[in-house]
Amino acid sequence: MSKHSIPVTKNLHPQLPSFNMDEIAFGKNFTDHMLVADYENGEWKNVEIKPYAPFQVDPSCATLHYGQTIFEGIKAFKNDKGEVVIFRPDQNLIRFNTSAERMQMPTIPEWIFMEGMKQLIDLERAWIPNKPDSSLYIRPFMIAMDPFLGVRPSNTYKFMIILGPSGAYHAAPMKILIEQHYTRATPGGVGFAKNGGNYGGSLFPVSLAQSKGYDQVLWTDAIEHKYVEEVGMMNVMFVIDGKIITPSIEKGTVLKGVTRNSSITILREMGYEVEERFLSVEEIVDAHKKGLFTEVFGVGTAAVVSYISRLAHGEYVMDFDIDSLKVAPALKNHLHELRMGNIVDKHGWLQHV
Ligand SMILES: *Cc1c(COP(=O)(O)O)cnc(C)c1O
């Protein structure tokens, strides 16, 4: 399969086969092995697969203080024939290296990311659930390693890939509050990069929304809080007057989601008109008052398609009957069937392991 043979140290105390695959929780359980590579003296070295385990960092490690850290989220699936496929990992590699450049980190060579991921998954095949909506979550990440408190790019880094079995995520429809004060991303900032700080900064506003009975916030633009951008850690799509509208990525404040991109293609193939543009809260509320706003949903790797049952702007509350949704369930089903190998993969989105 691969040009590069990555050395493997087997885990002598694996959790499998005794691990109970019926009790998997997203982000809590990890497989028996991980991939690690070090960046030193301007090059990547020591690429290896070894037992999943904690590792040491110096208390002055740059990542801990200044947040030079990026990640990706990808999924692998086992279909009914027992084949293992990864959904569009090439797109995650491109985004990972875009994030790396923005955070002044070294890019990762394709072979370490792709072959490393495939060799690791191949070793952990038994960890991939084959229940509906279950998958193997793949988390590549890179952290700065210099033990140094000066603010400058680190000279040393670690790249790692860890894997975790994942059941259905965010299965319940979400209640969303439109954010009118706090900001996720600003033009010229790092919103388009998947770097750690973006997520740490979102926790407080989300907790405020939760204290008001919501699950997440719908982020709006940083300047006027007028245009919608993303829902939580997902891209967002609106169905207004039969058309699908999703916020434009051109200002760099909306993450360029792989699920977003795939959904736009699929929805257009289904015959829907899809617009990528700026969409104001005013336009949304206005469409709701006219009865034209019929659906809103989140799209992202972790939750795939997430239904939204309530969207509120201050006192103005918009409710959606989950049973009467059309677009979101059709999209969700299409993505599911594609990954399960039941629909022809005409765009070559699935990579076999
Ligand atoms: C990862 C992420 C998404 C979704 O991107 P996918 O490639 O579809 O997983 C959307 N928004 C934010 C902020 C994200 O971090």
Side-chain angles (χ1 to χ4, degrees):
M1 177 183 79
S2 62
K3 298 188 292 289
H4 300 84
S5 168
I6 298 170
V8 179
T9 307
K10 280 282 182 74
N11 191 329
L12 300 177
H13 307 283
Q15 302 170 75
L16 274 184
S18 60
F19 181 82
N20 184 357
M21 291 288 273
D22 293 329
E23 284 174 26
I24 47 178
F26 176 82
K28 269 195 183 164
N29 308 112
F30 301 99
T31 69
D32 290 313
H33 301 85
M34 61 185 186
L35 178 126
V36 186
D38 297 314
Y39 186 84
E40 286 163 17
N41 300 322
E43 60 176 344
W44 286 101
K45 52 178 81 159
N46 311 333
V47 185
E48 58 172 328
I49 290 172
K50 59 189 200 180
Y52 185 96
F55 61 99
Q56 288 198 320
V57 292
D58 194 281
S60 69
C61 171
T63 300
L64 303 180
H65 301 272
Y66 307 126
Q68 223 192 347
T69 168
I70 58 169
F71 66 95
E72 269 304 323
I74 311 169
K75 277 181 172 176
F77 304 86
K78 197 181 269 172
N79 66 23
D80 298 338
K81 290 177 232 149
E83 296 166 346
V84 174
V85 295
I86 318 174
F87 190 73
R88 306 190 73 181
D90 50 313
Q91 297 300 306
N92 298 89
L93 170 61
I94 293 169
R95 189 171 64 196
F96 192 74
N97 283 337
T98 303
S99 298
E101 278 169 15
R102 179 62 183 82
M103 298 305 292
Q104 195 58 35
M105 299 167 93
T107 56
I108 191 85
E110 179 178 1
W111 77 268
I112 300 180
F113 192 97
M114 298 297 279
E115 291 182 34
M117 182 190 312
K118 287 178 183 172
Q119 283 190 38
L120 181 63
I121 293 173
D122 193 30
L123 184 68
E124 306 286 48
R125 267 172 193 273
W127 278 97
I128 311 176
N130 51 1
K131 288 191 181 164
D133 289 327
S134 294
S135 59
L136 185 73
Y137 185 77
I138 306 161
R139 170 54 62 93
F141 63 101
M142 193 198 304
I143 56 176
M145 288 300 285
D146 277 10
F148 179 57
L149 289 185
V151 180
R152 57 130 172 87
S154 184
N155 290 316
T156 54
Y157 296 86
K158 239 183 220 310
F159 171 75
M160 304 178 75
I161 302 178
I162 57 174
L163 308 174
S166 163
Y169 180 71
H170 269 163
M174 299 187 299
K175 294 191 177 73
I176 303 294
L177 183 62
I178 299 179
E179 180 58 60
Q180 300 185 70
H181 178 71
Y182 294 97
T183 296
R184 191 195 83 86
T186 53
V190 294
F192 65 90
K194 241 173 148 73
N195 81 295
N198 285 346
Y199 305 86
S202 74
L203 301 177
F204 180 65
V206 172
S207 80
L208 289 181
Q210 287 171 345
S211 70
K212 293 177 194 158
Y214 293 90
D215 300 297
Q216 260 296 352
V217 301
L218 176 63
W219 299 104
T220 48
D221 74 281
I223 316 290
E224 300 176 277
H225 295 288
K226 187 173 167 190
Y227 298 98
V228 298
E229 297 202 325
E230 297 203 61
V231 61
M233 292 172 59
M234 284 178 283
N235 293 114
V236 64
M237 302 204 158
F238 295 80
V239 185
I240 295 178
D241 200 11
K243 271 192 242 167
I244 292 141
I245 306 167
T246 192
S248 161
I249 54 175
E250 74 193 45
K251 275 196 295 180
T253 52
V254 172
L255 198 101
K256 207 173 161 186
V258 179
T259 319
R260 175 188 183 278
N261 176 276
S262 312
S263 299
I264 292 171
T265 301
I266 290 169
L267 290 166
R268 284 188 178 142
E269 286 171 359
M270 284 176 173
Y272 288 104
E273 203 174 311
V274 184
E275 297 178 352
E276 294 180 70
R277 63 169 170 90
F278 300 111
L279 174 64
S280 69
V281 176
E282 199 184 341
E283 182 180 343
I284 292 167
V285 168
D286 198 48
H288 183 260
K289 286 181 177 156
K290 290 183 184 143
L292 299 173
F293 176 21
T294 51
E295 289 182 46
V296 51
F297 51 93
V299 294
T301 295
V304 191
V305 177
S306 241
Y307 300 160
I308 294 172
S309 58
R310 170 168 290 183
L311 179 65
H313 185 240
E315 302 290 297
Y316 191 76
V317 175
M318 297 165 266
D319 282 318
F320 301 87
D321 174 15
I322 296 303
D323 294 328
S324 64
L325 300 181
K326 287 194 183 69
V327 180
L331 175 64
K332 189 177 185 141
N333 184 57
H334 189 103
L335 282 163
H336 175 77
E337 294 295 316
L338 180 68
R339 295 176 319 207
M340 288 298 118
N342 301 333
I343 289 180
V344 181
D345 174 26
K346 63 179 169 186
H347 301 290
W349 285 347
L350 304 180
Q351 294 208 13
H352 287 254
V353 175

